Amino acid sequence: MKVVPLGAGQDVGRSCVLVTLGGKTIMFDCGMHMGYNDERRFPDFNYITTSDDFTSRIDAVVITHFHLDHCGALPYFSEQRGYHGPIYMTPPTKAICPILLEDYRKITVERKGETGFFTSQHIKDCMKKVVPLHLHETVWVDDELELRAYYAGHVLGAAMIYARCGSESVVYTGDYNMTPDRHLGAAWIEKVRPDILITESTYGTTIRDSKRARERDFTEKVRSCVARGGKVLIPCFALGRAQELCILIESYWERLGLKVPVYFSAGLTEKANRYYKLFINWTNQKVKESFVDRNPFDFKYIKPWNRDYVDLPGPMVLFATPGMLHIGTSLEVFRKWAPDERNMLIMPGYCVAGTVGAKVLSGMKIVDIDQYSQVHVNIDVQNLSFSAHADAKGIMELIRQASPRNVVLVHGEKSRMSYLKSKIMGEFGCPCYDPANGELLEIETEQDVRALMSDQLFQRAWSGEQQRQERLGDNLLKPPNPITQMPVRGVLLLGDGGKRLTRLLDPSEFDLDQVPVAEPDTGNSRTDDQQLTAPDYLPTQDETEVKPETVVFSTRKIFDDVVVAKRMGLDENTNTIQAVLDAIYELLSIDSAQKVRQQKNEEGFGIVSVGESVKVSTCPVSDADELPSLAVSWAWEEEELATQTLAVLNRVLG
């Protein structure tokens, strides 16, 4: 399988990832970058081809949600660069996407005067190519490629995408939130066990405090500012955090009976709220239940904004778009209110580097608005994270749910990805990658064979696994683990690809001398019984990165030595564990540029060392029924080398 980020590789913004699986190529998201106003704002589509023949090279485009950093380049790609294939998105995304694209076009063309940009007709023509993708519905792009959407939280209509072609599969998360909020539920996915999970990592080194504490802090800061006669500017995108914070302010104003006016920049949000009412089934259970009596998106205290209000005296609260202070109403109002120290700016979300919002959050007191003007920042700046992205805990939980073979990190800063990579490899024992934009990542995948198992073979295998778990439980003085995976030894009767299906049968069901059979690969190297020794440390400061000096990670891979011996063609007298170590040593000697050494420790167990800290070692077996295992350990600084070592280990074990 091949993965190439055209955007969001070690960066936030311009999300666009190409994935090739089973000979099919999918483009996940097609966004723009908020920090650029030149050709860099769109992904570099010339990486695919310079002849603009994209339709023959890309089988499908999938948009995960309507934020511009995930869909902003779509009309440009389809109408101006000539992609004519299918575009998949959920119904709410299809409804809201053209509204945001048209608003983006108006600001870029009508206010800034840019030429050569996509037109309103381009947006309409682009939307005609969209195929709706409903939650948990399997859609076939062609006879081989299937897509399925899972709920992602984040914003209305956001979805994580599972794609499969033949025996290869991938999950692309887009943006997601594992914590339910006031109007949306938490992201969830089945244990689909994809070959690759491509996940965002925006807040990969952050663990947020409780939502209730953040909401209390937010409302208290707003109230203190208006009490002293100041104005509160809250930049936010028109959909998502806007509705979340509006519901919070609405309930707070109603509870305290406040009379201070609250505004929302009009037009775009009025349309957006119409779609929230239309797609109420995409919200959380509390909103659905209250919708019977009153629509929570019909706000009583929040009124439409008029530009003439900006110079009015007295306190007020304004929710203004967009959320990063790079264009639009929020930037215009910031220019007016920033010099007054009585006023307050509350930044509730992430700001891409290069935007005015990012400059203000960094502490700059004089900010260039454009090439002609600058503003003195005396306003009280507060950064309260209400971002609908998963934090470090959420990312780890999603990986646990999906149970992938490999993890790829995108949509995050390089500095934040490094520690998260080691944490993922230590806890789950799977390789983790963070390719840059334009970097080709090739990952070898196992060729699975789907087969129908006979009842007799299943019962025999299940009974054997139950007995093994009970023996382990008795030895460890604890109840047995639930059975989620088990090794199966049977006869694989290959089908013909048509009506005769491939079947896995008990040997007693056939005369083996007369039936041509092939033994199946029954490798059980992936198991939920990994014993983890990775430290439970993660930085807890909001937006603060901590790089430990000498953190050592380790993971343990349990495998069935009988199955591995068969795969490697070993005879009964060969030490399987030593043969595995020898194979790892040989492959690393070929693949790695670092020095590879093989030795034994004081107890006589084998060790393969790579670089300064990466070690693959055998573990002592305390019980005759216990499966053998290999431990992999590494220092935080060599997580790239550890990724390569884990990939080699998985190749050897199958």
Side-chain angles (χ1 to χ4, degrees), residues 39-77:
E39 69 279 355
R40 293 175 295 174
R41 75 176 133 210
F42 293 149
D44 183 10
F45 298 118
N46 288 334
Y47 181 94
I48 306 170
T49 176
T50 56
S51 65
D52 285 359
D53 181 21
F54 298 105
T55 309
S56 64
R57 288 171 168 80
I58 297 176
D59 295 277
V61 173
V62 183
I63 304 298
T64 57
H65 63 287
F66 53 68
H67 279 159
L68 290 177
D69 62 328
H70 292 259
C71 72
L74 191 58
Y76 169 75
F77 180 60

Side-chain angles (χ1 to χ4, degrees), residues 288-456:
K288 292 174 188 175
E289 291 171 354
S290 64
F291 183 72
V292 178
D293 302 318
R294 173 183 169 273
N295 191 322
F297 301 109
D298 287 331
F299 300 118
K300 176 182 176 183
Y301 295 93
I302 302 172
K303 306 300 180 185
W305 170 256
N306 188 306
R307 285 187 180 182
D308 297 334
Y309 298 165
V310 70
D311 294 318
L312 289 178
M316 67 177 70
V317 178
L318 171 62
F319 293 93
T321 58
M324 298 188 190
L325 290 178
H326 57 289
I327 50 175
T329 303
S330 62
L331 184 58
E332 293 174 7
V333 175
F334 173 76
R335 189 198 301 257
K336 291 270 189 176
W337 292 0
D340 192 337
E341 60 185 14
R342 293 176 302 169
N343 298 335
M344 179 178 287
L345 172 70
I346 298 180
M347 301 296 293
Y350 184 86
C351 289
V352 170
T355 59
V356 174
K359 294 174 183 176
V360 172
L361 287 177
S362 69
M364 293 178 65
K365 290 300 181 181
I366 300 178
V367 175
D368 293 325
I369 300 296
D370 51 43
Q371 56 182 331
Y372 306 109
S373 60
Q374 56 183 206
V375 65
H376 290 264
V377 182
N378 298 321
I379 194 170
D380 183 8
V381 179
Q382 299 289 333
N383 183 18
L384 302 177
S385 177
F386 282 88
S387 177
H389 294 270
D391 64 0
K393 277 186 177 179
I395 294 169
M396 301 297 278
E397 176 59 29
L398 185 84
I399 296 172
R400 190 171 290 108
Q401 284 185 11
S403 190
R405 293 184 176 95
N406 301 272
V407 177
V408 176
L409 302 179
V410 296
H411 201 283
E413 298 170 7
K414 170 64 176 174
S415 57
R416 297 183 178 215
M417 289 179 175
S418 296
Y419 188 84
L420 182 61
K421 281 178 64 177
S422 280
K423 181 68 177 174
I424 290 169
M425 290 190 293
E427 184 153 340
F428 301 105
C430 63
C432 186
Y433 309 89
D434 59 345
N437 287 334
E439 180 182 341
L440 173 63
L441 175 63
E442 293 186 89
I443 297 177
E444 292 186 12
T445 58
E446 298 176 3
Q447 294 298 313
D448 294 335
V449 177
R450 292 186 177 186
L452 297 175
M453 189 189 305
S454 70
D455 290 343
Q456 183 174 333

Side-chain angles (χ1 to χ4, degrees), residues 108-144:
T108 305
V109 176
E110 297 177 11
R111 292 192 193 177
K112 293 187 175 182
E114 290 193 26
T115 58
F117 208 70
F118 56 76
T119 65
S120 297
Q121 189 59 46
H122 284 152
I123 297 173
K124 294 175 184 176
D125 293 340
C126 173
M127 289 298 114
K128 291 177 183 176
K129 299 173 182 175
V130 172
V131 179
L133 185 62
H134 299 276
L135 285 180
H136 308 298
E137 173 192 28
T138 298
V139 173
W140 291 89
V141 178
D142 53 29
D143 292 339
E144 300 175 284

Side-chain angles (χ1 to χ4, degrees), residues 543-557:
E543 310 304 317
T544 301
E545 185 159 270
V546 178
K547 285 192 176 181
E549 297 273 332
T550 55
V551 178
V552 176
F553 296 84
S554 67
T555 186
R556 184 177 166 194
K557 299 286 287 185

